Amino acid sequence: KNSGRDIVYSLSNTAPIEHAALFGREVNCFRTYGDLKDRWDGKGSHKSIRDEWKAHRDWLENGFSGAPWHFPDPDMLVVGEVNVGGKLQPSRLTADEQYSHVSLCALWAAPLLIGGPIETMDDFTRQLLTYSDILEIHQDKMAIPAKTIFHADSIEILVKELFDGTKVVG
């Protein structure tokens, strides 16, 4: 309180916190799931973006009402170069999967964190992470996560209300 500047408090873990809704009212960011890997399909022993998508949706619907300035954190974006076993390698996500991954996090008002160095970022990743339309949605003053209005096995529709009263559909 005496620092004279804003500070973001974030709880990070590799599994959901048992009473995260209580902590979420006290801190700014809190993990909703374990560590993500650069996989969309959910195959293998690690959690995929698809798994996170389902868990994050369920967590928002059942455990978090979307209070301003309190952000559920689905983990770092797995775009560009990702850390695998202490070494950087290109993300295994296709371009479309990377677009979807960043778009979901922007709609969720989730922290946009990357795990690779910005000085070696390729043009595609830089353009993806600095795309003004996505950042405008992510940085909206309301800072409220989008709500899922429909989901089936292969499609989900989210609606995010913005500060000016408009709505974004993803």
Side-chain angles (χ1 to χ4, degrees), residues 5-117:
R5 60 187 173 92
D6 291 336
I7 295 175
V8 173
Y9 290 99
S10 179
L11 293 177
S12 181
N13 61 334
T14 57
I17 298 170
E18 183 178 351
H19 299 288
L22 298 174
F23 288 107
R25 291 175 190 7
E26 303 299 323
V27 300
N28 303 106
C29 301
F30 43 94
R31 289 288 293 278
T32 59
Y33 206 52
D35 293 341
L36 285 182
K37 299 297 178 194
D38 53 343
R39 295 185 179 109
W40 194 266
D41 60 13
K43 293 179 183 173
S45 62
H46 297 288
K47 293 155 189 79
S48 70
I49 294 167
R50 178 83 173 150
D51 297 329
E52 169 58 37
W53 178 2
K54 292 175 185 178
H56 200 80
R57 176 187 61 227
D58 293 344
W59 201 86
L60 284 170
E61 290 176 356
N62 299 317
F64 182 73
S65 62
W69 307 109
H70 298 271
F71 308 102
D73 176 3
D75 197 14
M76 290 187 187
L77 297 168
V78 286
V79 298
E81 291 185 310
V82 295
N83 187 333
V84 178
K87 295 180 181 176
L88 292 174
Q89 72 178 34
S91 177
R92 291 179 283 193
L93 299 180
T94 66
D96 285 342
E97 289 169 343
Q98 291 184 61
Y99 290 132
S100 296
H101 182 34
V102 171
S103 296
L104 279 171
C105 288
L107 286 164
W108 287 335
L112 297 180
L113 306 171
I114 60 171

